[in-house]
Amino acid sequence: MVQSAVLGFPRIGAQRELKKVTEAYWSGKATVDELFQVGKELREKNWKLQKEAGVDIIPSNDFSFYDQVLDHSLLFNVIPDRYSKYNLPAIDTLFAMGRGLQRPATETSPAVDVTALEMVKWFDSNYHYVRPTFSKTVEFKLNSSKPVDEFLEAKALGIHTRPVLVGPVSYLYLGKADKDNLELEPITLLEKLLPVYAELLAKLKEAGADTVQIDEPVLVLDLPAEVQAAYKTAYEYLASETAPKLFLTTYFGDVRPNIASIKGLPVAGVHADFVRVPEQLDEVVAALSPSQILSVGIVNGRNIWKSNFAKAIDFVNSAIAKVGAERVIVATSSSLLHTPVTLASEKKIPAEIKDWFAFATEKVTEVVTIAKAVTDGTESIAEVLAANAKSISARETSSITNDAAVRERVAKITEDQARRKSPFGVRLAAQKKALGIPLFPTTTIGSFPQTKDIRIVRNKFTKGEITAEEYEKFIEKEIADVVKFQEEVGLDVLVHGEPERNDMVQYFGEKLNGFVFTTNGWVQSYGSRYVRPPIVVGDVSRPGPMTVKESKYAQSITKKPMKGMLTGPVTCLRWSFPRDDISAKLQAQQLALALRDEVQDLEAAGVYVIQVDEPAIREGLPLRAGAERDDYVNWAVESFRLATSGVEDSTQIHSHFCYSDLDPNHIKALDADVVSIEFSKKDDPKYIQEFSEYPNHIGLGLFDIHSPRVPAKDEFVGRIADILKVYPQENLWVNPDCGLKTRGWTETRASLQNMVDAAKEFRAKY
Ligand code: GLN
Ligand code: ZN
């Protein structure tokens, strides 16, 4: 019988239970017991759901209160001294490392003031993990029993699970050296780390685990030779009598370039992502020994589209033909963490379209269905298959997915449309004249705190409890407050604060043709921050202006330049669930044309600074160097330029990037007049060099907006002084890392005031 496997299930809960209790805990409104209780209930629910669906191999330890990679850092005692010195309870250390912690002394405990660890994109997804950070004093030891506890918890419910661990090579390679230890290459710590893995594996075996899913996703990256070689060392060490069987799991890409690292490893089987790279089947099969099992990742863990059963079954059958049914497992391509929990709560999506979707819960059933079809033959589920085929062909032929006018406009795009009128120097002179911006200009990235108030009123509006007019009044008042606030603090280029936006992509999606929305389709982005990605279902176009009213109003109430605020084409696409029936490039072009019209409308309305955010441009980069990556860079850059190049020289185009290690060359190619980059957590001084050749203007983010911590003025001064050692002062902007929407007003005011005061100090000097 061909078994079915799920590699991981979303932990946030169908009603965002995890977010609610975590945030309540942070604000002192829930106890630690309540927090743990909700965690326990969520795990139980997820396991039972999978069990009832008929999944044979169900994961455990896929749950996390913040991030699964951070859990491993706690587990292996990879806790820099600046956190451990406070002797906080483990759960608070976890949160301190994830999001920073600043709190005054109490009678029983000293004051705490510590920044968060760096957080970066998880491969090419919109999930972020907390980067393992290895300081000089790192001493690996087994510091918790989480994987064992969760295995036993499931066992007590009568559910035998396959615990999930991040494998040692990936864990190290995804980490970095701490600032006290910059010469360290984390992979050199492998031999010290392995005994701790072995100890953990032994405990899992004692608890009754027969197999462990060991995730080595870095196998889809271009790996240096010493990392490729580390696999043999690691797995020969770990495979032993005292360990459960190890199931080596890769996902999100192509393992072929590292296939030599896998060959001959003493593991029970290998999982690969055949949704992404079906072409790798032969080579993966060839790398297996006759006793090793092949886990066929065939149900897409990264999108919301229903599987095409006929195709999937064919593919699994081709794998069976190569290795035999007893050696094949049917699985999700990756963890289902990246898809919303269930379609069941979606009541508003038109039935015709809803029928094209499958979320995590539905995907679980798909895996079981495919496994059944290849075991018992397609006749056994003829009806299910017929319904699936009908739904697939309905989407292919639907009028929703095709708009001739949009296709035609894309076909007519010219090269000129993607070039500004003049080179940067000429534009800069025109902008200086038009905008009157001082040296060390201060600005923010766009959003200001989104208080409960705003959310309540927005909800009322969505539900029709208040009129559009009332809502508009409220938004105007918010904008006016934010403008006043910025003038008080003394910022130079203002923003309207984005109070009308629930989310930087959804907001635009709602105003464009071609998107649909979920009511509850949340996906974890990081920690307690979830996003609800819109879904691109058809060709995209702009029926009318999207942001002009708010920006125009904001500009009308201040003499300072107001920055219009848009989300770029690539980010709109990356942070949506894209279509899988036309290319990403074509979808980006459609979005770019819609945004181009918006940019021109803003300019016409008197908004002469326009920021087009592209924080997701990096995450879309194909994971390996080569033709596919070059092609991506080309169309990503072109679509940004297409969106932004329709303005006069005197209009200043900004862009913003966060969350990832960017390539300065890609940023340069966008030819924005000013870019702002998340930077405050890059503690290696060499990073300051990275953009030093950047020809246009630049703002390296000066404080972490994920944390409520307030940096003192001197901290800003020190930071700017460091940057000035490398950058010419006339190129520098002064800004935070990113938007302030998740922050509170108190820390926002304090941080920005210190930042502005620091900028003024420098301005006085030059
Ligand atoms: N303008 C957006 C904001 O400030 C940018 C958000 C982002 O880069 N993630 O919220
Ligand atoms: Zn950002």
Side-chain angles (χ1 to χ4, degrees):
M1 191 195 119
V2 175
Q3 290 195 305
S4 55
V6 170
L7 300 196
F9 195 82
R11 51 213 173 209
I12 61 177
Q15 302 303 325
R16 289 182 291 160
E17 292 88 335
L18 187 60
K19 177 189 182 73
K20 287 170 194 159
V21 72
T22 310
E23 292 182 351
Y25 175 68
W26 290 340
S27 62
K29 291 186 194 108
T31 64
V32 73
D33 291 340
E34 285 164 335
L35 176 71
F36 289 161
Q37 181 58 29
V38 172
K40 190 169 175 210
E41 286 163 10
L42 285 168
R43 291 190 293 268
E44 176 170 345
K45 210 172 189 178
N46 291 347
W47 287 323
K48 286 191 169 156
L49 176 156
Q50 294 174 75
K51 178 94 187 167
E52 277 155 25
V55 176
D56 301 306
I57 301 168
I58 297 172
S60 60
N61 199 41
D62 53 341
F63 178 82
S64 176
F65 279 109
Y66 202 87
D67 161 47
Q68 72 273 11
V69 181
L70 179 58
D71 286 342
H72 286 69
S73 295
L74 267 285
L75 182 61
F76 301 137
N77 197 40
V78 182
I79 307 174
D81 286 348
R82 57 185 179 280
Y83 304 97
S84 57
K85 72 173 188 202
Y86 294 112
N87 284 315
L88 300 168
I91 187 74
D92 293 340
T93 302
L94 180 99
F95 290 142
M97 289 165 76
R99 61 193 295 268
L101 184 62
Q102 191 172 42
R103 72 178 183 211
T106 65
E107 267 166 40
T108 50
S109 59
V112 180
D113 185 3
V114 63
T115 56
L117 288 178
E118 188 187 6
M119 184 169 72
V120 279
K121 290 273 178 198
W122 181 241
F123 296 83
D124 56 357
S125 79
N126 185 26
Y127 179 75
H128 307 77
Y129 74 98
V130 178
R131 217 159 172 194
T133 304
F134 303 99
S135 64
K136 263 202 180 101
T137 51
V138 66
E139 224 174 279
F140 298 117
K141 64 174 191 213
L142 207 53
N143 204 24
S144 108
S145 50
K146 178 179 182 288
V148 181
D149 298 346
E150 291 180 11
F151 175 82
L152 290 173
E153 198 178 292
K155 193 172 163 190
L157 297 167
I159 299 173
H160 182 79
T161 58
R162 182 171 75 174
V164 184
L165 296 177
V166 176
V169 180
S170 290
Y171 176 73
L172 291 171
Y173 191 60
L174 291 170
K176 67 165 185 179
D178 204 357
K179 52 189 171 223
D180 65 358
N181 202 17
L182 289 172
E183 2 26 86
L184 176 84
E185 285 291 342
I187 195 69
T188 60
L189 297 169
L190 183 65
E191 271 159 48
K192 282 196 193 141
L193 176 60
L194 287 174
V196 188
Y197 265 93
E199 191 187 338
L200 173 64
L201 288 169
K203 291 204 161 137
L204 282 165
K205 179 153 186 170
E206 259 170 52
D210 53 78
T211 309
V212 165
Q213 171 185 324
I214 196 142
D215 285 4
E216 288 286 4
V218 306
L219 278 165
V220 306
L221 305 179
D222 294 314
L223 296 178
E226 67 274 20
V227 177
Q228 288 180 322
Y231 279 95
K232 190 165 155 47
T233 316
Y235 286 86
E236 285 184 352
Y237 184 97
L238 294 181
S240 86
E241 290 289 286
T242 58
K245 284 184 272 181
L246 302 174
F247 209 101
L248 189 77
T249 309
T250 70
Y251 36 82
F252 302 156
D254 194 345
V255 299
R256 285 175 293 181
N258 295 316
I259 202 80
S261 298
I262 296 176
K263 220 176 241 167
L265 292 186
V267 294
V270 173
H271 172 93
D273 186 337
F274 296 108
V275 171
R276 276 294 180 87
V277 190
E279 305 80 14
Q280 63 187 327
L281 180 62
D282 283 342
E283 277 177 66
V284 174
V285 164
L288 298 179
S289 74
S291 64
Q292 283 177 321
I293 292 170
L294 174 68
S295 170
V296 181
I298 197 69
V299 171
N300 198 332
R302 290 282 297 275
N303 76 7
I304 46 70
W305 300 107
K306 196 175 252 187
S307 288
N308 180 330
F309 281 155
K311 263 189 161 167
I313 291 166
D314 271 357
F315 189 89
V316 177
N317 277 330
S318 72
I320 289 174
K322 291 180 205 300
V323 299
E326 55 309 326
R327 282 177 59 205
V328 167
I329 293 175
V330 173
T332 55
S333 66
S334 64
S335 167
L336 297 172
L337 178 69
H338 313 283
T339 70
V341 177
T342 173
L343 253 185
S345 28
E346 301 305 326
K347 311 276 186 239
K348 289 201 184 133
I349 303 172
E352 176 192 359
I353 296 176
K354 191 171 160 182
D355 183 55
W356 303 341
F357 299 158
F359 293 176
T361 304
E362 293 74 37
K363 285 173 186 281
V364 163
T365 304
E366 290 190 348
V367 176
V368 175
T369 304
I370 297 167
K372 184 164 167 49
V374 297
T375 304
D376 301 339
T378 48
E379 315 73 51
S380 67
I381 46 166
E383 265 174 49
V384 178
L385 296 183
N388 178 267
K390 200 169 147 215
S391 155
I392 300 290
S393 91
R395 179 175 162 222
E396 275 166 7
T397 52
S398 164
S399 61
I400 298 167
T401 51
N402 297 285
D403 180 333
V406 174
R407 299 284 171 114
E408 200 183 310
R409 194 173 171 205
V410 169
K412 288 192 182 140
I413 294 173
T414 64
E415 253 181 53
D416 270 1
Q417 283 179 301
R419 304 284 169 268
R420 292 288 295 269
K421 295 195 172 75
S422 312
F424 176 66
V426 178
R427 298 188 323 247
L428 183 67
Q431 290 161 20
K432 273 192 175 151
K433 219 165 116 196
L435 300 168
I437 295 171
L439 211 50
F440 298 102
T442 54
T443 191
T444 60
I445 307 305
S447 58
F448 269 87
Q450 290 238 340
T451 55
K452 222 186 185 150
D453 243 24
I454 298 186
R455 285 197 300 270
I456 292 172
V457 177
R458 190 187 299 129
N459 272 339
K460 279 191 181 159
F461 175 55
T462 318
K463 288 192 190 131
E465 290 167 18
I466 58 171
T467 64
E469 209 173 302
E470 285 170 309
Y471 180 63
E472 234 164 77
K473 270 235 166 71
F474 172 80
I475 293 295
E476 276 199 354
K477 167 90 173 48
E478 287 293 320
I479 293 174
D481 288 350
V482 168
V483 169
K484 186 161 160 265
F485 169 89
Q486 294 172 90
E487 287 186 329
E488 277 167 20
V489 170
L491 285 147
D492 300 306
V493 173
L494 309 193
V495 297
H496 77 284
E498 306 178 24
E500 77 288 10
R501 302 186 192 174
N502 38 6
D503 174 275
M504 64 184 291
V505 174
Q506 189 186 337
Y507 182 77
F508 290 92
E510 280 173 357
K511 304 209 172 248
L512 290 166
N513 297 325
F515 284 82
V516 300
F517 303 89
T518 63
T519 34
N520 220 20
W522 298 98
V523 177
Q524 188 174 25
S525 175
Y526 63 87
S528 73
R529 177 127 179 84
Y530 309 162
V531 293
R532 197 162 37 132
I535 303 173
V536 190
V537 292
D539 288 336
V540 173
S541 59
R542 188 191 77 141
M546 305 185 280
T547 65
V548 175
K549 194 172 61 202
E550 290 79 9
S551 288
K552 191 175 168 183
Y553 169 71
Q555 182 64 88
S556 77
I557 56 172
T558 179
K559 293 208 167 60
K560 297 217 169 154
M562 176 60 54
K563 185 159 67 164
M565 197 59 60
L566 304 173
T567 304
V570 178
T571 300
C572 280
L573 188 62
R574 294 289 318 172
W575 291 358
S576 301
F577 285 112
R579 293 167 72 169
D580 61 354
D581 58 341
I582 62 170
S583 72
K585 174 180 174 176
L586 178 54
Q587 294 173 73
Q589 286 173 317
Q590 295 177 358
L591 282 157
L593 288 173
L595 288 162
R596 181 183 178 88
D597 295 345
E598 184 72 13
V599 167
Q600 287 176 327
D601 282 352
L602 280 170
E603 184 185 51
V607 178
Y608 302 122
V609 182
I610 301 169
Q611 177 173 310
V612 178
D613 292 325
E614 280 290 26
I617 203 157
R618 169 64 179 77
E619 73 180 48
L621 199 67
L623 295 169
R624 287 183 190 285
E628 194 192 345
R629 183 181 284 186
D630 298 343
D631 182 48
Y632 168 80
V633 171
N634 283 335
W635 66 251
V637 165
E638 282 301 300
S639 64
F640 177 88
R641 296 177 63 139
L642 183 61
T644 53
S645 296
V647 291
E648 296 303 323
D649 286 347
S650 53
T651 295
Q652 188 169 64
I653 297 290
H654 287 226
S655 189
H656 163 71
F657 310 92
C658 48
Y659 301 133
S660 35
D661 299 325
L662 297 155
D663 181 335
N665 286 318
H666 300 161
I667 306 300
K668 193 171 144 189
L670 301 176
D671 197 28
D673 299 309
V674 182
V675 298
S676 56
I677 299 181
E678 168 173 347
F679 197 75
S680 74
K681 273 180 283 178
K682 300 274 180 209
D683 26 34
D684 184 341
K686 78 169 191 268
Y687 286 121
I688 291 189
Q689 294 286 345
E690 282 208 318
F691 283 86
S692 56
E693 315 268 284
Y694 187 71
N696 304 0
H697 286 185
I698 188 164
L700 301 176
L702 293 171
F703 70 93
D704 177 15
I705 54 80
H706 300 296
S707 163
R709 187 175 170 277
V710 175
K713 178 185 160 195
D714 285 350
E715 217 174 302
F716 285 109
V717 170
R719 205 74 191 158
I720 298 172
D722 282 344
I723 297 171
L724 275 177
K725 287 181 199 145
V726 181
Y727 289 75
Q729 75 255 10
E730 61 277 3
N731 286 16
L732 269 197
W733 282 64
V734 171
N735 51 259
D737 267 353
C738 188
L740 295 156
K741 107 196 228 185
T742 57
R743 293 275 53 85
W745 274 108
T746 319
E747 71 258 21
T748 295
R749 180 181 286 273
S751 299
L752 288 177
Q753 192 65 66
N754 292 345
M755 184 187 88
V756 168
D757 290 348
K760 284 187 177 155
E761 191 172 312
F762 282 96
R763 203 172 292 155
K765 275 195 216 162
Y766 290 93

